[in-house]
Amino acid sequence: MPQWAGSCWYYLRFMDPKNSSTLVDKAKESYWGPVDIYVGGAEHSVLHLLYARFWHKVLYDIGVVSTKEPFKCLINQGLILGEVEYTAYRDNEGKWVSADSDSSLSDCIQEKVPADKITKVGDNYVLKDDPNIRLNARAYKMSKSRGNVINPDDVVSEYGADSLRLYEMFMGPLRDSKTWSTGGIEGVHRFLGRTWRLVVGAPLPDGSYKDGTMVTDVEPTFEQLRVLHKCMARVSEEIQETRFNTAISAMMEFVNAAYKWDTQPKSVIDSFVLLLSPFAPHLAEELWFRLGHAQSLAHEQFPEAKNEYLKESEIVL
């Protein structure tokens, strides 16, 4: 059965891919199904999800699956738009025409303007050389035809895979459409660098880093534990609500606070590295081994906040 037929029940086959006698083993389907979260674009609503439900309900009626619905939760992620394009207009004589001009722009010649030749005044973008000329600023869906596609390999080679992952999550809520800005990667790249130096220390004169870490086995203070557990609680909540951008903000706040401490207790840093690991797995794994752990952090329990450290002991009025 070609084309869409297979795509309508592939998730069941993933549960039991090597079974040559039946579509899916009943015990495995009962254990793994239904799918907890389905993440897909809104364009899948008919082309996949609707037909997947039809097929699943038929399979339920004939006793192949144990649930009436294939997916518990649906999240439609937003589009990543290309970088903002700035368009200016010239009349037939080659003179600039402001985008808010009363004259018709349909008779004008459109011209793309590089970002280094524009500036922002209030809510508008204008030419640096002539602030009276307002431009149209718009971000378009990434496509080869517009030439605004960002090659992730280029970003990874310059900033690393963790910076790319982190920036994509930091751009905004998962469900919202967001505009790509290569310059925005610098911010999360610096955050990862600060995190590395917090744990490992400053680089040596030749640019390398010494083995081990800066952490100590001292008992953390109540204030250090309070900062850590507030970060834990917020990151855990934001992950559940798919607000990854604000979870990253919480970890940035933790790093800022930790830089002011006289000591970096190992138990606190261990927990923070585990918090960071879903967002920046390569960096976190390296730090985890430097902290003296022989086994990958993938086998560790995700840290949970304790209420005793979440209560405010002082309130400023």
Side-chain angles (χ1 to χ4, degrees):
M1 296 193 298
Q3 299 178 1
W4 285 344
S7 72
C8 289
W9 57 277
Y10 70 89
Y11 56 93
L12 295 173
R13 194 61 183 170
F14 282 165
M15 301 174 186
D16 193 11
K18 297 182 180 180
N19 194 326
S20 59
S21 60
T22 186
L23 188 154
V24 60
D25 178 78
K26 287 184 179 294
K28 292 181 178 180
E29 185 276 330
S30 178
Y31 175 81
W32 288 108
V35 174
D36 295 290
I37 300 177
Y38 182 100
V39 181
E43 66 273 13
H44 289 178
S45 296
V46 172
L47 295 183
H48 175 62
L49 292 175
L50 184 63
Y51 296 120
R53 291 187 69 209
F54 287 166
W55 280 69
H56 196 91
K57 289 177 179 296
V58 170
L59 293 173
Y60 175 79
D61 289 343
I62 64 175
V64 176
V65 296
S66 59
T67 60
K68 290 185 178 181
E69 294 287 348
F71 315 116
K72 287 183 179 179
C73 172
L74 167 66
I75 296 175
N76 286 332
Q77 84 277 20
L79 288 173
I80 302 294
L81 306 176
E83 297 212 43
V84 175
E85 299 179 12
Y86 304 97
T87 305
Y89 301 89
R90 291 184 186 269
D91 60 20
N92 294 330
E93 298 178 359
K95 296 180 180 179
W96 293 115
V97 178
S98 182
D100 60 344
S101 173
D102 294 334
S103 58
S104 174
L105 298 177
S106 60
D107 298 330
C108 296
I109 301 171
Q110 295 186 18
E111 182 177 322
K112 286 187 179 181
V113 181
D116 59 351
K117 293 186 177 182
I118 63 100
T119 187
K120 190 173 185 181
V121 178
D123 294 330
N124 303 308
Y125 293 92
V126 298
L127 289 174
K128 282 184 178 179
D129 296 338
D130 189 350
N132 293 319
I133 302 300
R134 185 184 298 181
L135 311 179
N136 274 338
R138 180 181 172 185
Y140 296 86
K141 181 180 177 180
M142 285 190 183
S143 65
K144 292 180 180 178
S145 61
R146 293 201 68 88
N148 63 349
V149 175
I150 301 296
N151 187 342
D153 292 342
D154 296 338
V155 179
V156 171
S157 64
E158 184 171 356
Y159 296 99
D162 282 348
S163 293
L164 174 60
R165 284 171 59 96
L166 211 64
Y167 175 63
E168 288 184 319
M169 288 184 275
F170 193 58
M171 290 172 74
L174 177 64
R175 294 170 173 84
D176 293 356
S177 292
K178 299 164 283 283
T179 303
W180 178 271
S181 173
T182 302
I185 302 176
E186 291 282 355
V188 294
H189 187 65
R190 287 196 298 270
F191 162 66
L192 292 178
R194 293 193 74 218
T195 302
W196 174 267
R197 294 188 296 274
L198 174 70
V199 181
V200 176
L204 300 173
D206 63 356
S208 63
Y209 291 87
K210 66 178 182 179
D211 296 335
T213 65
M214 300 288 291
V215 304
T216 57
D217 285 326
V218 298
E219 283 293 317
T221 64
F222 182 86
E223 178 60 23
Q224 289 172 331
L225 290 173
R226 194 174 70 86
V227 172
L228 171 67
H229 283 263
K230 286 180 69 174
C231 181
M232 283 182 189
R234 190 171 167 196
V235 170
S236 297
E237 178 184 352
E238 305 298 43
I239 288 176
Q240 289 293 331
E241 299 298 325
T242 65
R243 295 190 295 256
F244 305 124
N245 55 318
T246 47
I248 295 169
S249 296
M251 290 186 285
M252 289 178 171
E253 292 172 6
F254 172 87
V255 171
N256 289 339
Y259 262 96
K260 299 175 183 177
W261 297 343
D262 295 329
T263 60
Q264 307 297 336
K266 186 176 184 300
S267 59
V268 171
I269 299 301
D270 276 356
S271 297
F272 176 72
V273 170
L274 290 176
L275 281 181
L276 180 65
S277 61
F279 300 85
H282 304 88
L283 179 75
E285 192 74 59
E286 175 68 21
L287 291 175
W288 188 250
F289 280 101
R290 277 178 172 261
L291 287 164
H293 302 281
Q295 183 173 259
S296 168
L297 51 71
H299 303 288
E300 298 295 323
Q301 185 76 24
F302 197 70
E304 294 183 10
K306 295 182 179 179
N307 289 330
E308 60 192 274
Y309 299 112
L310 302 180
K311 298 175 183 178
E312 296 289 349
S313 56
E314 294 181 359
I315 298 176
V316 178
L317 298 180

